């Protein structure tokens, strides 16, 4: 049994004709057909992940449904890596039914609920500061929320999303402070909707971190009012600048 597993596992790195489809999958990644990581929703460096880890399940290493495009961060040992629920002894590892289990990583192909937006951002205000927390949508079933909560924790998505949220929030603050772009609540909402459409288009997913963030801002009365209340920057004045060049200067 172990010999058969090892032989099948070695096919993954081979150049035989029967595994030519693996090159097509890699081409999809290199061609940027996948724009954000299906696991975390963050854009990054791409590679191919074995949902059933190659080390524990070499017999499934060439199965197309086991090959998932993923960013390098999600494949680190302290994230998904070669982890799989219940697998401690690699030699005796066997696939197991995962439906109903809350401590697992969702599968981008089979977990259909991930085809629509399943994440939300909780916005809280303390004094003059806002805080943002990534959470599963409350409209999901209890078991689905448990799966997503474990998934987010295991892959450190909440921690890694901070940079994405910070960047998106700074962009909205810049817009809010520009009187030519957002002079009132209505124009601020319009600018945020445009940012949401752009984020979904650039990432190809409603579950990309920036798309989730912008959608949450549109639902948050607190966040929108905070943006509307931002002091407006004065319009820049254009000064005529004269320059003289020395002969031969570049």
């Amino acid at each position: 049994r172990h010999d058969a597993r090892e032989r099948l596992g070695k096919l993954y790195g081979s150049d035989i004709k029967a595994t030519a489809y693996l090159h097509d999958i890699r081409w999809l990644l290199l061609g940027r057909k996948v724009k954000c990581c299906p696991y975390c929703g963050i854009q990054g460096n791409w590679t191919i992940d074995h949902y059933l880890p190659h080390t524990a399940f070499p017999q499934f290493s060439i199965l197309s449904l086991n090959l998932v495009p993923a960013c390098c961060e999600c494949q680190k040992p302290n994230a998904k890596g070669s982890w799989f629920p219940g697998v401690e002894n690699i030699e005796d590892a066997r696939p197991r039914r995962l439906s109903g289990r809350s401590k697992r990583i969702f599968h981008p192909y089979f977990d259909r609920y991930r085809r629509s937006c399943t994440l939300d951002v909780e916005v809280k205000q303390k004094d003059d500061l806002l805080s943002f927390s990534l959470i599963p949508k409350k409209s999901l079933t209890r078991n689905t929320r448990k799966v997503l909560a474990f998934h987010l924790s295991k892959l450190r998505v909440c921690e890694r999303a901070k940079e994405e949220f910070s960047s998106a929030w700074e962009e909205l603050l810049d817009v809010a402070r520009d009187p030519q772009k957002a002079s009132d609540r209505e124009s601020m909402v319009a600018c945020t909707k445009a940012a949401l459409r752009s984020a979904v288009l650039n990432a190809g997913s409603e579950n990309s971190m920036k798309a989730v963030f912008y959608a949450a801002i549109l639902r948050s009365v607190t966040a929108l009012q905070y943006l509307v209340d931002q002091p407006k920057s004065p319009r820049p004045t254009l000064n005529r600048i004269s320059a003289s060049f020395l002969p031969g200067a570049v």
Side-chain angles (χ1 to χ4, degrees):
R1 183 173 67 89
H2 292 305
D3 289 342
R5 281 160 45 107
E6 291 178 4
R7 286 197 298 270
L8 287 170
K10 289 179 180 178
L11 289 177
Y12 179 71
S14 69
D15 293 324
I16 64 174
K17 187 175 181 180
T19 59
Y21 62 91
L22 296 176
H23 297 287
D24 295 334
I25 294 176
R26 293 190 183 97
W27 179 86
L28 287 174
L29 295 178
L30 294 176
R32 291 296 186 266
K33 299 296 182 182
V34 178
K35 298 178 181 179
C36 75
C37 178
Y39 286 136
C40 68
I42 298 174
Q43 294 173 285
N45 297 320
W46 302 112
T47 182
I48 296 177
D49 175 61
H50 290 84
Y51 184 82
L52 295 173
H54 181 269
T55 52
F57 305 103
Q59 67 270 39
F60 299 113
S61 61
I62 59 173
L63 182 65
S64 60
L65 293 177
N66 192 40
L67 303 177
V68 177
C71 70
C72 296
E73 287 295 322
C74 281
Q75 294 195 66
K76 285 185 175 180
N78 62 344
K80 180 179 181 294
S82 296
W83 179 86
F84 191 75
V87 174
E88 296 179 1
N89 186 346
I90 291 179
E91 292 299 320
D92 295 329
R94 290 180 174 83
R96 60 191 63 213
R97 185 178 179 86
L98 293 180
S99 60
R101 286 175 172 260
S102 59
K103 291 187 176 181
R104 68 178 181 88
I105 293 173
F106 73 80
H107 197 300
Y109 302 152
F110 297 121
D111 285 314
R112 294 177 179 269
Y113 57 83
R114 284 288 284 177
R115 296 180 184 179
S116 58
C117 187
T118 54
L119 300 173
D120 198 359
V121 176
E122 187 176 45
V123 182
K124 292 183 179 180
Q125 182 172 11
K126 185 177 182 180
D127 299 326
D128 292 332
L129 296 176
L130 294 186
S131 63
F132 307 100
S133 303
L134 184 67
I135 59 172
K137 271 193 170 181
K138 295 179 180 179
S139 58
L140 299 172
T141 65
R142 182 180 178 184
N143 184 65
T144 299
R145 291 200 306 272
K146 284 184 177 181
V147 173
L148 276 177
F150 177 83
H151 176 98
L152 296 174
S153 174
K154 180 63 179 175
L155 299 185
R156 302 180 301 110
V157 179
C158 296
E159 175 187 341
R160 293 161 51 207
K162 290 180 181 179
E163 185 175 345
E164 296 280 302
F165 290 172
S166 177
S167 173
W169 184 239
E170 286 298 325
E171 291 174 8
L172 290 181
L173 286 175
D174 288 342
V175 171
R177 292 165 182 162
D178 187 340
Q180 296 181 342
K181 294 180 179 179
S183 56
D184 53 23
R185 184 185 181 88
E186 185 179 352
S187 56
M188 189 66 239
V189 168
C191 289
T192 307
K193 285 182 177 179
L196 171 59
R197 288 193 297 269
S198 178
V200 173
L201 182 63
N202 290 335
S205 172
E206 294 180 3
N207 284 303
S208 72
M209 286 300 102
K210 283 195 173 182
V212 168
F213 182 81
Y214 289 131
I217 296 301
L218 287 170
R219 291 191 296 270
S220 172
V221 175
T222 300
L224 285 174
Q225 190 60 49
Y226 186 93
L227 291 169
V228 172
D229 292 342
Q230 289 298 299
K232 305 301 179 184
S233 302
R235 291 188 179 184
T237 57
L238 297 177
N239 297 322
R240 290 188 177 182
I241 301 175
S242 61
S244 60
F245 297 91
L246 297 175
V250 178

